[in-house]
């Protein structure tokens, strides 16, 4: 099998564990990844799952019915670290290839659009581009790893595997994107950032006598085991329920996109509706230890789609997660992460919104209704909204169901 666009000497390896290429040593680091069910997102109106099924499933499969689950089984083998001799890393996706004429397309490393060729080494690239040579080098590089969520959810599981490996020599340089936010994570994991991290430039080729390559993290759907390993490595604690009472709101104020235009009104309404809970506004820039401490104490995490929601990684199972989500090709990564970690995920769709929209207007009453459903315990965010009334109707005085006004969602409130 030849890689698209590659010279004939390159042969594709798609499963280094099972194919066992000659000269490649593979260290297995635990049992096989396990599949798990992901309940559909909780919604005020489950019809959204059907009406927007194509959009919600743009990057991963999301069921069109509230009672349906989605099995996650993206890797199918044990986590590993492979030692590849005479190997090279290049390109925005961190493509690995070796002097034996093999290119490595491990399952989960590349997100492949339908019909698009997978990346291949450019013939002669190593002689034309600046090259960085090492006796030993470990790579964490995948596409989008320079972005905060992708680093936290996808790069960190790879880094933890490398640090746990018994085959990677102590002090081996670590290839990483070199973004400013990386340092505190590396140092929290006991890595001397200045001494060991090699900042990656996608226009260069990085070569090693021995390259250490960990199990990839599938884009926006990292494994449950990988996420849990990061929690354990960072010392995240699951606090008693009585110590988890915060409503943590992740603001995007001052960000270039998806800021909530009516945020002040929303925060006032949240504090009025939940006087027994402290509403804390999380803003980017806090030290990592403070971020972990804050999200460990959360009962509710909510806010617009963005990097701040990545910190649900530090929250306890059962935490309620409410995401204000744009509906033009939503990636659904926080739904996946929530379900992987046993959390109660609810989605508030924001019509006519999109990823790079500067601001979005969030319907405050719908946020309150949705949060009411999540907190009252009538549902577990399984997509049915905890409703006792049929679709199109809501509970009214006297325990009866009454039709919703035009343009309104049904809720059990």
């Amino acid at each position: 099998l030849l890689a698209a666009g590659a010279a004939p000497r390159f042969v594709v390896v798609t499963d280094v564990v099972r194919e066992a290429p000659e000269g490649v040593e593979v260290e297995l680091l635990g049992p096989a990844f396990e599949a798990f069910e992901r309940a559909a997102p909780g919604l005020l109106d489950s019809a959204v799952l059907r009406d927007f099924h194509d959009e919600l499933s743009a990057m991963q499969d999301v069921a069109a019915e509230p009672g349906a689950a989605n099995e996650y089984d993206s890797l199918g083998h044990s986590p590993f670290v492979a030692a590849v001799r005479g190997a090279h890393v290049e390109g925005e996706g961190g493509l690995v290839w070796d002097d034996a004429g093999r290119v490595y397309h491990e399952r989960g490393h590349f997100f492949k659009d339908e019909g698009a060729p997978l990346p291949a080494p450019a013939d002669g690239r190593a002689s034309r581009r600046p090259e960085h040579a090492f006796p030993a080098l470990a790579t964490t590089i995948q596409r989008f790893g320079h972005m905060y969520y992708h680093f936290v959810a996808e790069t960190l599981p790879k880094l933890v595997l490398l640090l746990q490996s018994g085959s990677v020599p102590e002090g081996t340089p670590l290839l990483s994107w070199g973004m400013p936010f990386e340092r505190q994570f590396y140092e929290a994991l006991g890595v001397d950032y200045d001494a060991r991290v090699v900042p990656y430039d996608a226009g260069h080729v990085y070569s090693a006598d021995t390259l250490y390559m960990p199990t990839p993290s599938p884009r926006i759907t990292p494994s449950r085991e990988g996420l849990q390993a990061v929690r354990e490595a960072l010392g995240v604690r699951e606090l008693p329920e009585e110590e988890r009472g915060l409503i943590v709101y992740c603001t995007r104020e001052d960000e270039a996109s998806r800021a909530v235009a009516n945020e002040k009104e929303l925060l006032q309404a949240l504090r009025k509706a939940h006087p027994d809970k402290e509403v804390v506004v999380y803003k980017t820039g806090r030290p990592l230890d403070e971020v972990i401490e804050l999200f460990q104490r959360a009962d509710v995490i909510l806010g617009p789609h963005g990097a701040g929601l990545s910190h649900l990684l530090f929250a306890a199972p059962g935490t309620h997660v409410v995401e204000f989500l744009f509906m033009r090709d939503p990636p659904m990564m926080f739904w996946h992460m929530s379900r992987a970690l046993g959390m109660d995920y609810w989605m508030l769709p924001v019509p006519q919104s999109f990823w790079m929209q500067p601001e979005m207007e969030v319907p405050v009453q719908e946020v309150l209704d949705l949060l009411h459903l999540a907190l009252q315990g009538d549902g577990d965010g399984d997509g049915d909204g905890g409703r006792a009334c049929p679709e199109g109707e809501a509970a009214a005085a006297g325990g009866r169901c009454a039709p919703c006004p035009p343009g309104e969602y049904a809720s059990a409130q």
Side-chain angles (χ1 to χ4, degrees):
L1 179 64
L2 298 179
R9 63 190 179 93
F10 288 109
V11 175
V12 175
V13 175
T14 59
D15 191 330
V16 71
V17 173
R18 293 188 174 92
E19 295 177 39
E22 184 178 356
V24 176
E25 298 176 6
V26 178
E27 177 189 8
L28 299 180
L29 292 165
F33 294 103
E34 292 186 359
F36 62 91
E37 296 289 337
R38 301 174 298 178
L43 288 149
L44 288 175
D45 187 349
S46 60
V48 170
L49 293 172
R50 296 189 294 273
D51 294 346
F52 290 90
H53 181 251
D54 290 344
E55 290 83 358
L56 294 173
S57 299
M59 296 186 188
Q60 57 177 307
D61 293 333
V62 179
E65 297 298 331
N70 309 264
E71 185 177 69
Y72 171 78
D73 182 15
S74 107
L75 291 170
H77 54 61
S78 296
F80 67 82
V81 171
V84 186
R85 310 299 178 191
H88 315 272
V89 184
E90 67 170 75
E92 66 174 354
L95 177 70
V96 173
W97 53 281
D98 66 22
D99 293 337
R102 297 177 291 234
V103 60
Y104 295 83
H105 285 169
E106 283 294 314
R107 184 179 180 185
H109 192 142
F110 299 101
F111 186 85
K112 185 178 182 298
D113 294 325
E114 191 68 30
L118 287 167
D123 195 26
R125 173 173 287 186
S127 64
R128 297 199 312 268
R129 303 277 181 163
E131 186 169 6
H132 308 269
F134 301 84
L137 180 67
T139 179
T140 69
I141 301 300
Q142 286 188 200
R143 192 179 183 192
F144 303 119
H146 62 287
M147 301 172 71
Y148 190 83
Y149 159 81
H150 296 280
F151 175 80
V152 170
E154 297 163 12
T155 298
L156 286 180
K158 298 176 70 173
L159 176 60
V160 168
L161 281 177
L162 291 168
L163 296 177
Q164 291 176 342
S165 169
S167 62
V168 180
E170 186 175 353
T172 297
L174 298 162
L175 196 57
S176 192
W177 283 99
M179 302 304 293
F181 54 71
E182 294 180 357
R183 177 182 293 271
Q184 60 180 342
F185 286 95
Y186 274 89
E187 293 181 348
L189 292 169
V191 175
D192 186 330
Y193 190 84
D194 292 323
R196 290 191 63 183
V197 172
V198 178
Y200 183 69
D201 183 332
H204 294 188
V205 175
Y206 296 78
S207 304
D209 296 336
T210 303
L211 179 74
Y212 295 94
M213 177 183 72
T215 305
S217 295
R219 179 184 167 200
I220 75 170
T221 56
S223 71
R224 168 184 282 172
E225 292 85 351
L227 296 171
Q228 290 174 335
V230 173
R231 286 171 56 91
E232 182 176 346
L234 288 172
V236 175
R237 297 176 299 139
E238 184 178 333
L239 299 179
E241 188 173 349
E242 59 270 19
E243 296 181 30
R244 306 196 311 262
L246 299 182
I247 296 178
V248 179
Y249 175 80
C250 299
T251 182
R252 287 187 61 82
E253 183 183 21
D254 301 328
E255 299 290 343
S257 62
R258 300 186 304 284
V260 173
N262 56 333
E263 185 169 280
K264 183 177 180 180
E265 176 191 356
L266 173 62
L267 290 171
Q268 289 176 340
L270 284 171
R271 291 185 171 110
K272 182 178 179 180
H274 301 279
D276 58 327
K277 291 184 178 291
E278 182 182 358
V279 178
V280 178
V281 178
Y282 167 76
K283 192 170 185 177
T284 302
R286 294 191 185 191
L288 179 59
D289 58 347
E290 292 184 10
V291 175
I292 293 174
E293 176 65 22
L294 174 64
F295 282 83
Q296 282 180 158
R297 296 171 56 216
D299 182 33
V300 176
I301 300 168
L302 78 163
H305 177 89
L309 293 179
S310 305
H311 300 127
L312 66 88
L313 177 64
F314 310 138
T319 300
H320 308 288
V321 178
V322 179
E323 180 180 12
F324 313 155
L325 192 59
F326 54 91
M327 298 306 291
R328 189 178 300 175
D329 298 332
M332 303 298 292
M333 67 263 274
F334 298 118
W335 164 68
H336 169 84
M337 184 187 284
S338 298
R339 293 312 194 200
L341 295 174
M343 297 178 189
D344 181 34
Y345 176 89
W346 296 76
M347 183 178 77
L348 181 79
V350 183
Q352 308 302 319
S353 59
F354 53 93
W355 181 50
M356 291 305 294
Q357 184 175 5
E359 288 188 330
M360 59 171 67
E361 187 88 15
V362 172
V364 172
Q365 187 57 50
E366 289 181 21
V367 175
L368 299 180
D369 288 347
L370 193 151
L371 192 52
H372 172 82
L373 294 178
L375 290 172
Q376 72 179 3
D378 286 349
D380 62 352
D382 63 0
D384 67 359
R387 250 193 321 271
C389 295
E391 289 184 12
E393 296 185 2
R400 63 188 182 84
C401 294
C404 295
E408 297 291 329
Y409 288 96
S411 82
Q413 191 167 3

